[in-house]
Amino acid sequence: MVSPDRSPIRPLTAETLAATIDHTNLRPEATRDQIIQLCQQATQFGFAAVCVNPSYVPLAATQLANSRVKVATVIGFPLGATLAEAKAFEAKESIRLGAREIDMVLNVGALKSGDHAAVLADIRRVADATHTGGAILKVILETVFLTDDEKRVACELAVQAGADFVKTSTGFLGGGATVGDIKLMRGAVGPQIGVKASGGVRTLADATAMIEAGANRIGTSSGIAIIQGLKS
């Protein structure tokens, strides 16, 4: 299994900040040329990964073959309501095609229903497929729909299931990362796994606030503006 970087980000330089960013384009209308540009930008700025929809994994993997930038993709996105078996297959196939990081949406409805066994099984199924393929797993909680108690439970289940990160949001269903949620999630998982802030992180101030609250990965389509803000 790939070992995720869970260490604090210090000191905050353009290089260390860039290394926390998943440069993201998950728009349904994203074109092939836009994904190629995303990969070129990620290489230029030294981002941790590009995050693309599964159908673009082979293209991104080809573009990034000679770089340190990883390919991340999303599973069960954006609703999280697909079958666990389908999520596991999607993760396995994405890894075969070149993905090295898997961001899955947990089953939000099952969590809201109190069916913790189903949530645990859902995450564990994908975690097993992901780790067998030598990749890491981030679990998207979709915090906008959850109470604080549900967020804590989701974090605990993600740790129990073997996830490598918990992540705030898809960015597609309203809400987004907040400092309060990052603090809550970091408190719930402790130092065991990573925390990814995603959804609405657009400025240097946003990114810095998330890191100070406990995030060690940032998912954003505004990575270039964030890095340029630090340089200026």
Side-chain angles (χ1 to χ4, degrees):
M1 185 180 74
V2 176
S3 178
D5 183 2
R6 303 165 185 150
S7 56
I9 300 97
R10 288 187 175 84
L12 192 62
T13 64
E15 182 179 1
T16 58
L17 180 57
T20 73
I21 291 175
D22 290 353
H23 195 38
T24 303
N25 188 341
L26 295 169
R27 297 184 185 93
E29 75 277 16
T31 66
R32 180 181 179 88
D33 286 346
Q34 288 171 336
I35 299 303
I36 291 172
Q37 182 183 48
L38 188 82
C39 294
Q40 291 171 341
Q41 291 168 341
T43 302
Q44 177 186 350
F45 284 86
F47 293 135
V50 298
C51 191
V52 299
N53 282 304
S55 62
Y56 277 133
V57 165
L59 175 62
T62 299
Q63 292 293 311
L64 297 169
N66 297 316
S67 81
R68 294 183 179 180
V69 181
K70 295 180 177 65
V71 178
T73 196
V74 287
I75 302 299
F77 191 86
L79 302 180
T82 51
L83 297 172
E85 293 83 357
K87 290 180 181 177
F89 175 81
E90 191 175 25
K92 181 179 179 180
E93 190 68 4
S94 295
I95 293 166
R96 184 184 70 81
L97 294 171
R100 291 296 171 262
E101 300 193 356
I102 298 296
D103 292 24
M104 70 166 285
V105 188
L106 63 69
N107 190 321
V108 181
L111 183 68
K112 299 287 294 181
S113 300
D115 192 350
H116 298 168
V119 176
L120 180 64
D122 184 57
I123 300 171
R124 184 171 282 156
R125 189 79 178 257
V126 181
D128 288 346
T130 299
H131 294 155
T132 297
I136 68 170
L137 177 65
K138 310 185 198 97
V139 177
I140 305 171
L141 309 189
E142 203 62 284
T143 50
V144 68
F145 295 127
L146 306 180
T147 66
D148 284 354
D149 284 344
E150 288 167 340
K151 293 167 194 173
R152 291 187 187 94
V153 168
C155 287
E156 291 164 2
L157 292 171
V159 171
Q160 188 177 346
D164 302 293
F165 279 80
V166 286
K167 173 179 171 181
T168 54
S169 317
T170 63
F172 278 73
L173 300 176
T178 68
V179 167
D181 281 342
I182 295 298
K183 288 180 177 178
L184 182 153
M185 292 162 66
R186 175 53 71 194
V189 302
Q192 295 184 67
I193 69 174
V195 175
K196 178 175 173 180
S198 184
V201 183
R202 299 187 180 92
T203 67
L204 175 61
D206 293 337
T208 302
M210 298 303 166
I211 290 167
E212 290 176 349
N216 51 348
R217 191 70 76 88
I218 304 291
T220 181
S221 58
S222 302
I224 294 173
I226 290 170
I227 298 302
Q228 288 175 337
L230 183 59
K231 287 181 177 179
S232 64

